[in-house]
């Protein structure tokens, strides 16, 4: 059972446990089929190159969805997330290799509010570049 984070035990600057996760072409294909986002920039290398991209890129919503896992794993209850927003700042380029590309996800407590909520600032990086901007989640604590 996952521990539930209690209000009063969290402080600005606390770091959440992060993780590293791969993105492969198979992941992109599965996400395209599940989401209905069949945009060829996520699936067709020739098309991606023809529109000026360096290669096929991951879906922004896939990256966003993986990033929030930092928060949901930490808080122990996905329904505790009351707000979540990000800006896509750089694409995650996914090579056609078995291992794909590794993306590092992390989070830090940015604000502790009097109403029992905290704001978590998230980061997602690959090849030492941040790919999400202003990634923020508000979480209601127990």
């Amino acid at each position: 059972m996952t521990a539930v984070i209690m209000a009063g035990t969290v402080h600005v600057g606390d770091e959440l446990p992060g993780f590293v996760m791969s993105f492969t072409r198979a992941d992109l294909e599965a996400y395209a089929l599940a989401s209905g986002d069949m945009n060829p920039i996520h699936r067709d290398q020739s098309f991606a190159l023809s529109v000026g991209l360096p290669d096929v890129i991951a879906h922004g919503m896939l990256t966003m969805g993986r990033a929030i896992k930092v928060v949901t794993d930490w808080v122990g209850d996905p329904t505790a997330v009351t707000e979540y927003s990000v800006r896509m700042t750089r694409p995650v380029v996914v090579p056609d290799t078995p291992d794909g590309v590794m993306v590092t996800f992390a989070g830090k407590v940015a604000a502790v509010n009097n109403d029992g909520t905290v704001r978590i600032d998230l980061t997602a990086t690959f090849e030492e570049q941040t790919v999400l901007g202003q990634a923020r989640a508000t979480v209601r604590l127990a």
Side-chain angles (χ1 to χ4, degrees), residues 35 53-54 58 66 80 84 87 92 94 102 110 120 124 127 129 140 142:
S35 69
L53 293 169
R66 287 188 171 175
Y84 180 41
R87 290 180 55 202
V92 175
V94 181
M102 302 307 283
I120 307 297
E127 296 181 350
Q129 292 191 341
R140 179 161 309 283

Side-chain angles (χ1 to χ4, degrees), residues 81-99:
V81 177
T82 61
E83 292 181 45
Y84 180 41
S85 64
V86 305
R87 290 180 55 202
M88 311 305 173
T89 57
R90 286 186 182 84
V92 175
V93 179
V94 181
D96 192 9
T97 62
D99 295 331

Side-chain angles (χ1 to χ4, degrees), residues 8-138:
T9 64
V10 176
H11 303 92
V12 171
D14 289 353
E15 293 187 15
L16 281 60
F19 61 92
V20 178
M21 185 177 274
S22 68
F23 284 69
T24 66
R25 294 279 179 96
D27 294 330
L28 302 187
E29 185 66 24
Y31 185 81
L33 293 171
S35 69
D37 182 350
M38 305 303 270
N39 189 322
I41 65 172
H42 306 301
R43 307 173 72 223
D44 182 330
Q45 183 178 33
S46 296
F47 183 84
L49 294 171
S50 77
V51 297
L53 293 169
D55 206 332
V56 167
I57 63 172
H59 302 75
M61 295 300 288
L62 174 60
T63 307
M64 182 181 179
R66 287 188 171 175
I68 195 65
K69 185 178 184 320
V70 170
V71 176
T72 58
D73 284 356
W74 173 73
V75 76
D77 177 8
T79 66
V81 177
T82 61
E83 292 181 45
Y84 180 41
S85 64
V86 305
R87 290 180 55 202
M88 311 305 173
T89 57
R90 286 186 182 84
V92 175
V93 179
V94 181
D96 192 9
T97 62
D99 295 331
V101 66
M102 302 307 283
V103 179
T104 301
F105 298 95
K108 185 182 282 191
V109 176
V112 177
N113 305 311
N114 291 332
D115 65 356
T117 63
V118 297
R119 189 185 90 210
I120 307 297
D121 288 351
L122 296 162
T123 59
T125 56
F126 100 102
E127 296 181 350
E128 300 182 22
Q129 292 191 341
T130 301
V131 298
L132 298 177
Q134 298 181 4
R136 298 178 177 145
T138 302

